Amino acid sequence: MRKSTEAHRIYGFRERLLLAPQIHRLKRLRNALVSRLYTRRPAENLDAVRAELGDVHDENLLFVVAFNLPWAIDLMIRSTRRHMPEWRLVIVDNSNDPDARAEITEICRAAGVPRLALPRNPEWSPNRSHGLALNWTWTNLIRPLRPKHFGFIDHDCFPIRPSRQLARLADRPFDGLKIAPERVVGAWYLWAGYMFFDTARIGDRDLDFNHDQVLRLDTAGRNWTKLYRDFDGPELDLLTPANATLAMPDGSGAVEVLCIDDTVVHVGGASYRGEGELRAPREAVRAVVEASLV
């Protein structure tokens, strides 16, 4: 695979006048420092989770970052068991609501699913908080354990049909939903809510799941520089966004939601959208997922 040419972001005159390029570089450095400090914080049950997982060199680990939604974790456990049995699920709890943490703990305990309680996250921004959670997981679980494959899927992104991810990883070092932002030349990233990696083929790279302000790449966008650009090329044939129209279970209409590889549906923003905005996609997705489990 060819190495891509240098990427750059197109800044307008007003952005340059306001020193946006320099500010974005400073923010990128700030986020790198915060991430380095955060990944050194201990988790209360890290040793217990590592012991529970054991030797995973021949296993495929699927990580879900939980955030205050016990119903989503319950549905995730049941849907991945049905449609992704070749992946071993691990819940990484980034919740800041103590009641939600307690309920998620009980759901995982009853289901026999490993659940790691992340240290308190210092970020208020959803994408920065998510990026820190991913970096902590990479640094303290994935990198030392080195599973055969590993992946991340959003806590409100549910499989409804058998997964094709292992077959796709046989042909590429990583896979997922490719996002190429506007006003950026030569760069893209895998959406943090659906990305998978072959550990051996990515080697000993120091991955970074923060976003990249300079290149306008959202959560996990720093991996363009760390990994993706060295494998860039049409032969990767990564997944692209598509929508699915789902009927409301009460017959009141239909909603469009993100659908990935025709096997996964995404509620979208389930942790921070208002109840009125969230109700329709949440109920439509839950109905489709529950129907797939019958």
Side-chain angles (χ1 to χ4, degrees):
M1 296 182 181
R2 64 179 175 84
K3 182 172 181 176
S4 181
T5 56
E6 192 65 28
H8 66 276
R9 175 174 176 174
I10 301 172
Y11 285 99
F13 174 76
R14 185 172 182 273
E15 289 177 307
R16 292 185 179 277
L17 189 64
L18 295 174
L19 302 179
Q22 293 86 345
I23 292 171
H24 289 159
R25 285 182 172 83
L26 286 173
K27 286 184 175 180
R28 188 165 70 180
L29 289 172
R30 174 260 184 199
N31 289 346
L33 176 60
V34 171
S35 181
R36 178 169 297 186
L37 294 174
Y38 180 71
T39 57
R40 293 176 179 175
R41 291 186 181 179
E44 61 189 41
N45 65 332
L46 174 59
D47 290 342
V49 170
R50 283 181 173 175
E52 182 178 0
L53 289 172
D55 184 353
V56 296
H57 285 87
D58 291 324
E59 292 196 55
N60 314 302
L61 298 188
L62 178 63
F63 294 90
V64 172
V65 176
F67 191 77
N68 295 341
L69 293 180
W71 69 263
I73 299 307
D74 171 68
L75 193 59
M76 178 65 68
I77 290 171
R78 292 186 289 122
S79 60
T80 53
R81 276 184 173 164
R82 171 63 66 87
H83 301 299
M84 302 181 72
E86 64 276 21
W87 292 86
R88 187 176 181 184
L89 185 64
V90 182
I91 302 300
V92 181
D93 200 347
N94 194 36
S95 302
N96 57 13
D97 178 344
D99 292 338
R101 277 207 172 207
E103 191 171 348
I104 290 169
T105 299
E106 178 56 28
I107 289 170
C108 292
R109 186 203 62 77
V113 171
R115 175 241 176 216
L116 186 136
L118 284 177
R120 187 185 66 82
N121 199 308
E123 294 286 8
W124 60 266
S125 165
N127 68 342
R128 293 203 303 268
S129 174
H130 193 188
L132 285 187
L134 298 175
N135 274 349
W136 197 100
T137 305
W138 160 253
T139 302
N140 294 283
L141 278 179
I142 299 170
R143 205 170 188 187
L145 293 179
R146 293 193 65 81
K148 185 175 183 180
H149 302 101
F150 67 93
F152 290 102
I153 185 170
D154 254 12
H155 66 161
D156 62 345
C157 197
F158 306 103
I160 57 173
R161 297 184 183 90
S163 172
R164 291 188 278 261
Q165 283 311 133
L166 283 186
R168 290 184 58 83
L169 282 174
D171 299 324
R172 48 189 66 80
F174 47 79
D175 192 38
L177 190 61
K178 179 181 178 180
I179 307 292
E182 296 180 0
R183 300 180 65 192
V184 173
V185 176
W188 49 265
Y189 65 102
L190 293 182
W191 178 51
Y194 195 81
M195 51 186 177
F196 298 82
F197 303 86
D198 182 314
T199 303
R201 293 176 70 182
I202 65 173
D204 293 324
R205 296 164 188 269
D206 184 17
L207 300 187
D208 185 350
F209 295 90
N210 275 314
H211 66 296
D212 191 324
Q213 296 91 333
V214 177
L215 291 178
R216 208 183 183 96
L217 307 178
D218 207 342
T219 307
R222 286 290 291 150
N223 281 328
W224 162 257
T225 302
K226 298 287 188 175
L227 175 65
Y228 304 145
R229 68 178 180 179
D230 292 337
F231 293 89
D232 190 25
E235 63 272 26
L236 278 176
D237 189 28
L238 300 171
L239 300 170
T240 54
N243 285 340
T245 301
L246 304 182
M248 290 293 294
D250 62 3
S252 61
V255 294
E256 280 199 349
V257 300
L258 176 67
C259 183
I260 305 170
D261 198 29
D262 199 36
T263 63
V264 171
V265 288
H266 183 225
V267 175
S271 290
Y272 56 84
R273 292 166 74 179
E275 175 59 28
E277 183 185 10
L278 174 64
R279 186 189 69 83
R282 180 187 61 206
E283 296 309 313
V285 165
R286 289 180 71 172
V288 168
V289 177
E290 292 285 5
S292 78
L293 302 178
V294 175

